[in-house]
Amino acid sequence: MAAAAAAEDPRRRRLGREARASLAAFLLGASVAALPAVLGSPAALLAAPGLRGRLALALHVAGVNAALLLLYPRPLYKIAVRACFLGFAFGCGLLLSAGRSAWRHFGWYMCSLSLFHYSEYLVTAINNPRSLSLDSFLLNHSFEYNLAALSSWVEFTLEKLLFPELKQITWLSTVGLLMVIFGDCLRKAAMLTAGSNFNHIVQNEKSDTHTLVTSGVYGWFRHPSYVGWFYWSIGTQVLLCNPICMVGYALVSWRFFRERIEEEEITLIHFFGEEYLEYKRKVPSGLPFIKGVKVEL
């Protein structure tokens, strides 16, 4: 028993280092937001950076990457460089958000997107370190996910060039930002409430630690993490005032989560039987017109 505990401690310490390294790297990347103060430039540095601004950004990226290479061995560097990239995107989003530039709302989007992906890793590191991996950043979630993100950037850019007034509807972008904040907070609350029961991959085998969580946000919805992600994803397009992607994201996300929920509930019924069926009868899925897997009685 003592030997098992002794073997476990180094692994726990290693996982703790991973979380700390990611946080330090994220903050290091986000320090790009301090460049205007260092250069004595306007806060909206990225809106029209000029040669001096571009040089400062390039030196910041090179300096931060050199620091990461010196500070961390190869396994931790892989984590740190991803976290730093997300922190850099967050800091650039803050710079774009400053002032009244035409890219202000895209800055809000950059902050939302980078914080979502980084917090997925950090909460997993805190909550369920056994399942922690580079995939926990969800940066390589799927080809379809990456294509959807690229489509939203293309739509925003084209519409900004053709219909610039469409991208300056501040009240609509504010609604989108509120949807993003609500969705991300709900998802992270679900992850924290589920604890080690939460995993980014649907589990096909029940472990000794698996329990049915029905408290907290799971008392509101059966699938609060999916509800949060659903409204977060649509909110990003409302924030960008992207009418085409707004509709596309809603339809594609709804279909994805309908299939994902049915797949997951088959597993949960297999794991927990009548206990889950009773919970399913009492608590809604949380997503519109999605009731989950049908059970033949």
Side-chain angles (χ1 to χ4, degrees):
M1 199 66 177
E8 184 74 9
D9 284 343
R11 192 173 69 84
R12 286 182 178 174
R13 286 196 295 270
R14 178 176 61 82
L15 292 170
R17 287 201 303 271
E18 290 172 349
R20 290 194 297 272
S22 74
L23 183 57
F26 181 86
L27 294 175
L28 192 59
S31 66
V32 69
L35 280 183
V38 174
L39 297 174
S41 301
L45 175 69
L46 296 181
L51 180 59
R52 188 184 181 198
R54 292 190 185 97
L55 181 60
L57 288 174
L59 289 174
H60 180 274
V61 171
V64 165
N65 189 57
L68 295 180
L69 284 168
L70 290 172
L71 286 171
Y72 300 115
R74 183 67 177 174
L76 283 179
Y77 173 77
K78 291 180 179 180
I79 296 166
V81 75
R82 287 164 172 79
C84 185
F85 165 74
L86 292 171
F88 181 78
F90 182 82
C92 289
L94 291 177
L95 291 176
L96 286 176
S97 301
R100 307 294 299 180
S101 84
W103 291 90
R104 182 186 181 198
H105 297 155
F106 195 81
W108 295 2
Y109 167 81
M110 288 180 65
C111 289
S112 303
L113 185 66
S114 56
L115 193 59
F116 171 82
H117 282 282
Y118 175 66
S119 61
E120 287 289 309
Y121 182 88
L122 184 62
V123 173
T124 302
I126 295 169
N127 214 37
N128 189 13
R130 290 178 183 273
S131 69
L132 191 66
S133 71
L134 292 177
D135 290 338
S136 299
F137 285 107
L138 298 185
L139 290 172
N140 57 342
H141 179 269
S142 66
F143 171 78
E144 293 78 8
Y145 181 84
N146 295 335
L147 181 62
L150 180 61
S151 299
S152 72
W153 305 339
V154 170
E155 180 183 353
F156 181 88
T157 303
L158 290 176
E159 290 174 352
K160 183 179 178 299
L161 293 173
L162 298 173
F163 314 104
E165 67 282 356
L166 179 63
K167 302 305 177 184
Q168 300 303 313
I169 309 175
T170 299
W171 70 265
L172 185 59
S173 291
T174 302
V175 170
L177 182 61
L178 292 175
M179 290 177 66
V180 162
I181 294 171
F182 165 76
D184 202 8
C185 287
L186 178 60
R187 179 169 170 82
K188 297 311 182 292
M191 293 173 69
L192 290 168
T193 302
S196 62
N197 293 282
F198 185 91
N199 199 300
H200 284 119
I201 301 173
V202 176
Q203 302 296 289
N204 295 316
E205 295 183 9
K206 184 180 179 183
S207 71
D208 295 337
T209 60
H210 273 151
T211 58
L212 180 61
V213 181
T214 60
S215 60
V217 291
Y218 285 87
W220 306 347
F221 313 119
R222 294 200 308 276
H223 302 279
S225 68
Y226 295 158
V227 176
W229 200 348
F230 178 75
Y231 287 108
W232 175 87
S233 66
I234 299 172
T236 61
Q237 301 312 298
V238 177
L239 190 162
L240 291 175
C241 300
N242 280 353
I244 297 174
C245 282
M246 196 185 305
V247 175
Y249 270 49
L251 294 175
V252 172
S253 296
W254 184 88
R255 182 177 179 181
F256 170 79
F257 286 121
R258 183 192 64 182
E259 294 174 355
R260 183 70 175 258
I261 284 173
E262 289 180 356
E263 176 190 357
E264 186 170 302
E265 290 197 339
I266 291 172
T267 301
L268 289 168
I269 291 170
H270 175 69
F271 284 0
F272 301 107
E274 184 59 36
E275 184 183 5
Y276 185 79
L277 291 174
E278 181 64 22
Y279 172 62
K280 177 177 164 62
R281 284 191 286 268
K282 291 180 179 179
V283 180
S285 72
L287 289 169
F289 310 110
I290 296 180
K291 295 184 178 180
V293 66
K294 295 181 180 179
V295 181
E296 298 293 336
L297 299 177

